[in-house]
Amino acid sequence: MKKANLILAGISAMTVAIMTSSCSGTDSEETTTEATTGTLDPAYAVFDTTQTDIYLSGTNVVIETTGRPNHKSTYWGSTNALYLSEPTVEMTAGGATLITGYDASGSLTVPQNPSIATKTTATSLNHVGIAVSGAAIFNDSEGNGPLSSAAASLDWCGAHIGPSVYHYHLEPKAFSYDDSNLVGVIADGYFIYGRKCSSTGTYPTDLDSSHGHTSTTPYSTTAKYHYHISSTLYSTTGSYVVFAGPYKGTPSNFVK
């Protein structure tokens, strides 16, 4: 993975041109890279740097990840230092085995300054975002059916493996549990926080249909649009869905 320090925060716009000549000096080729401007949002500093590399590329932010969580789970397996015994978890969904049995790495490229789209976009299967732990965020479906069909396989962070990546469906209690902590970034570039809002210290009452609103955050004194984990109890599992959608911005795809 690239390291974030390959692109310096706060640099002014620049264009790099590389000129190469043949031995005769009569031929040349010119390669121009896209101008990179601005700085990374301070919220990105919360992401685990052992699991993610985050850097600017043009007007976008690239989040490269191992896809592995930085916290304990039964899905690490009993020989791993991060193993947590959870005897009530049935490790059967999607033919799940262990986190170490898969290469879940890849990248998500999102706008540096996301904007509200003219219409919302429904979420689909697989990645809808990347959590601060490095692991994936999925929506509230399991395959093409309800999440309830996989409820027994969810660990203490509302996550499991299937088809080949550890991912959260529900509130990830390892780093956000009934609080306003940063949970991750959604595929349209907007951040998602816990069930509470830091601007009021309690549950927001003005969330839209995507469970988002505009207010200050722990990382910005300027009001910005962002999502929250739903404060509505997901009755089948007794916990809270991270992000069901729809996207307010234009989503990007996770690339392996």
Side-chain angles (χ1 to χ4, degrees):
M1 294 189 296
K2 285 186 177 180
K3 289 294 181 183
N5 61 7
L6 290 179
I7 298 180
L8 300 176
I11 61 174
S12 59
M14 66 179 179
T15 301
V16 179
I18 302 174
M19 302 294 294
T20 59
S21 300
S22 66
C23 293
S24 64
T26 58
D27 298 320
S28 67
E29 295 178 355
E30 182 175 317
T31 302
T32 304
T33 60
E34 184 180 1
T36 297
T37 62
T39 60
L40 281 173
D41 191 295
Y44 283 114
V46 181
F47 285 69
D48 190 321
T49 56
T50 64
Q51 304 300 331
T52 63
D53 288 332
I54 302 176
Y55 55 90
L56 295 175
S57 178
T59 58
N60 294 321
V61 178
V62 180
I63 303 104
E64 294 185 346
T65 181
T66 65
R68 295 183 173 188
N70 62 357
H71 56 75
K72 292 183 177 182
S73 171
T74 191
Y75 286 101
W76 279 108
S78 59
T79 61
N80 192 284
L82 290 176
Y83 173 71
L84 178 66
S85 177
E86 298 180 78
T88 60
V89 176
E90 298 176 11
M91 297 170 58
T92 57
T97 54
L98 301 178
I99 293 169
T100 51
Y102 298 106
D103 177 9
S105 63
S107 65
L108 180 67
T109 300
V110 299
Q112 181 183 348
N113 297 298
S115 59
I116 302 296
T118 55
K119 62 179 181 179
T120 60
T121 302
T123 58
S124 57
L125 299 181
N126 299 316
H127 292 71
V128 299
I130 302 295
V132 296
S133 69
I137 299 171
F138 279 26
N139 67 10
D140 60 338
S141 298
E142 176 60 26
N144 290 313
L147 182 57
S148 57
S149 64
S153 70
L154 299 175
D155 67 10
W156 72 293
C157 282
H160 61 180
I161 296 177
S164 60
V165 58
Y166 179 90
H167 58 272
Y168 309 103
H169 287 287
L170 305 178
E171 184 176 48
K173 296 179 180 179
F175 48 92
S176 180
Y177 183 37
D178 195 21
D179 53 37
S180 60
N181 291 350
L182 180 67
V183 174
V185 64
I186 299 302
D188 58 3
Y190 288 112
F191 293 110
I192 184 166
Y193 292 86
R195 286 185 277 140
K196 292 182 178 179
C197 185
S198 65
S199 64
T200 60
T202 188
Y203 308 110
T205 58
D206 59 344
L207 298 181
D208 59 26
S209 60
S210 298
H211 294 286
H213 70 161
T214 300
S215 74
T216 58
T217 73
Y219 311 100
S220 175
T221 56
T222 301
K224 292 184 176 182
Y225 184 84
H226 57 274
Y227 301 113
H228 284 276
I229 291 177
S230 171
S231 59
T232 301
L233 188 67
Y234 188 69
S235 59
T236 310
T237 61
S239 194
Y240 304 85
V241 169
V242 179
F243 184 74
Y247 300 104
K248 291 291 284 187
T250 303
S252 300
N253 293 322
F254 184 81
V255 179
K256 287 287 292 178

